Amino acid sequence: MTLVTMMTAHYQDILNDNFWLPFTPNKDFRNDPKLFVRAEGDYYYDPDGRAILDGVSGLFASALGHGRKELAEAVHRQMLTLDFTASFYRGHPGAFAAAKALSALLPPGLDRIFFVGSGSEAVDTALKIALAYHRAKGRGGRNIFVSRERAYHGVNFGGVSLSGLPNNRRNFDGVGPRVVHMRHTWLAENRYSRGQPGHGDFLADDLLRLITLHGAENIAACVVEPIAGSTGVLVPPVGYLERLRQICDRHDILLIMDEVICGFGRTGRAFASQSFNIRPDIITLAKAITNGALPMGAVAVSRDIHDSIINAGGEREIEFFHGYTWSAHPVACAAALATLAIYQEENVFAAADALSGHFLQRLFALQGQPLVTDIRGYGLLGGIDLAPATNAGQRGYEVQKKLFDAGLHLKSTGDALIIAPILVTGPERIDRLFEILTRVLSTIKP
């Protein structure tokens, strides 16, 4: 009996055919199941009680580590106080408190908050806000969005339209908003750049090409991740984001930054836009807003955009026909308030910034591994490109499975490994992460 057969038999009381796993080769999973049954601190635990180091903060969400009692207690209190009310025509104190607490972390002036249930919902909401803003300004013809190749902006139809990842869009193309794409920012001459690469700011001029082709009067917004995360951590070249901001200002195009992955300390500041000193018009965020404890997302909007939309509505009219049943869910707001309080009380963002140097040193020490073809990193976020196998993506998938078996949980996208350690971890856990990763990579021939 093989190890896989033994594991499958051992897990028969857990597995069934009813659950359809997202973003997973389901047939392979059932042949070789990988399960978590418990989490605490930096670790997940499988059904056999084996500890697996969390090297990607859940999925960029559990920045404070797992099993935080403060969050569980806050959620429990809220469940017994006001478990649910929709925010249509009604409000509740937690929503106003969460919006105020979040605004204190955001860039000045981006303090009008629309709550949603996920990062995907945040992106689609931001697109609608951009359209509504231009319409309120008498510019209803602005309905084109500019995105980038290799972009990931969630999986709702708006985000899929923005997507620059072929597998995410090819089966769902042509049903969302009109989107045109700039080039991504990966350049061969920037391989193994630690922090921001020195070359590539000229790629921002792709936006000028698209303005010339389509007309600024038809473009609503440019949507970018400050660091393109899910594609493999593409850090923006020096000057690139600044040029995008300048071009958007010159042509009255909104700049939307998707900080679902980068937000809440991942770059050493509350938001990556602050790390890069760029002020967007709209920020989308989610994941670590509740430390992953409950689904929640938000859109932070400038006062000018918010007020333009609100003031365009008539007396007692709904100004913005959009929202979700779960928008500002009371229990999610309680989790967000508790999470935001921990960020402040424990000075988490500064601690993450201080740990970044050690993390990046260990990350770039992998240069020279035969399987590694490029490394990128900023803050506590790293990407490693692996030499592909026969089929694209096969190498990355197999490596992340081997890492799990060795006691490390990482994310792979295609043939890129993505590392995003828990922000409140320590140097010894960073060392443990790279010890496992180095050992596994050393056993695989390119």
Side-chain angles (χ1 to χ4, degrees), residues 18-302:
N18 301 106
F19 177 44
W20 188 347
L21 284 81
F23 275 117
T24 301
N26 278 254
K27 293 189 294 294
D28 183 68
F29 176 87
R30 281 170 170 77
N31 291 329
D32 184 14
K34 312 290 188 186
L35 298 176
F36 295 137
V37 298
R38 187 170 72 86
E40 182 179 355
D42 286 45
Y43 288 93
Y44 285 113
Y45 295 85
D46 71 6
D48 298 316
R50 189 171 63 96
I52 295 125
L53 181 61
D54 183 359
V56 72
S57 299
L59 193 62
F60 314 105
S62 302
L64 297 171
H66 299 283
R68 296 293 298 235
K69 291 182 179 179
E70 308 98 307
L71 304 189
E73 291 167 354
V75 166
H76 180 253
R77 285 194 302 269
Q78 187 61 48
M79 288 286 290
L80 297 177
T81 304
L82 176 64
D83 58 343
F84 176 69
T85 178
S87 292
F88 302 173
Y89 298 111
R90 305 289 182 266
H92 64 87
F96 293 94
K100 184 175 182 179
L102 179 57
S103 297
L105 297 179
L106 287 157
L110 269 78
D111 57 3
R112 299 298 186 260
I113 310 299
F114 196 104
F115 285 117
V116 297
S118 69
S120 293
E121 290 180 3
V123 169
D124 279 35
T125 299
L127 301 186
K128 285 187 176 182
I129 289 172
L131 294 174
Y133 167 74
H134 285 298
R135 194 172 298 113
K137 289 289 192 179
R139 303 192 291 249
R142 288 182 178 257
N143 54 25
I144 298 175
F145 294 94
V146 178
S147 183
R148 291 189 297 197
E149 297 170 352
R150 295 187 66 170
Y152 178 79
H153 296 289
V155 293
N156 289 355
F157 276 120
V160 167
S161 298
L162 295 171
S163 177
L165 297 173
N167 287 338
N168 285 19
R169 61 177 294 130
R170 60 163 48 100
N171 292 325
F172 311 106
D173 206 3
V175 295
R178 187 179 176 193
V179 178
V180 293
H181 289 78
M182 302 182 290
R183 287 173 290 178
H184 58 72
T185 60
W186 188 88
L187 295 172
E189 55 265 43
N190 288 330
R191 290 170 69 244
Y192 299 104
S193 293
R194 176 169 169 167
Q196 288 189 267
H199 305 285
D201 63 334
F202 64 89
L203 292 165
D205 291 341
D206 280 10
L207 180 55
L208 287 175
R209 282 196 309 108
L210 295 172
I211 288 170
T212 300
L213 180 63
H214 298 284
E217 70 277 10
N218 295 312
I219 298 175
C222 176
V223 187
V224 296
E225 303 162 88
I227 298 174
S230 286
T231 189
V233 186
L234 304 186
V235 182
V238 173
Y240 173 83
L241 293 175
E242 291 87 341
R243 287 177 77 162
L244 282 184
R245 177 72 274 181
Q246 291 166 2
I247 295 168
C248 287
D249 286 342
R250 196 180 315 145
H251 296 279
D252 291 324
I253 295 169
L254 297 181
L255 179 60
I256 300 173
M257 283 196 175
D258 182 346
E259 296 231 29
V260 170
I261 288 176
C262 295
F264 301 105
R266 186 56 56 188
T267 62
R269 298 285 300 277
F271 295 95
S273 51
Q274 294 163 326
S275 294
F276 297 129
N277 197 29
I278 303 296
R279 186 184 181 280
D281 301 295
I282 297 173
I283 293 177
T284 61
L285 50 102
K287 292 189 182 291
I289 189 174
T290 64
N291 199 49
L294 285 169
M296 191 181 201
V299 184
V301 183
S302 74

Side-chain angles (χ1 to χ4, degrees), residues 347-379:
N347 207 15
V348 170
F349 305 150
D353 189 43
L355 186 60
S356 172
H358 183 69
F359 168 75
L360 293 174
Q361 181 182 16
R362 293 303 307 261
L363 173 68
F364 281 88
L366 292 170
Q367 184 174 352
Q369 281 276 343
L371 200 64
V372 173
T373 62
D374 191 18
I375 300 173
R376 300 167 296 275
Y378 190 100

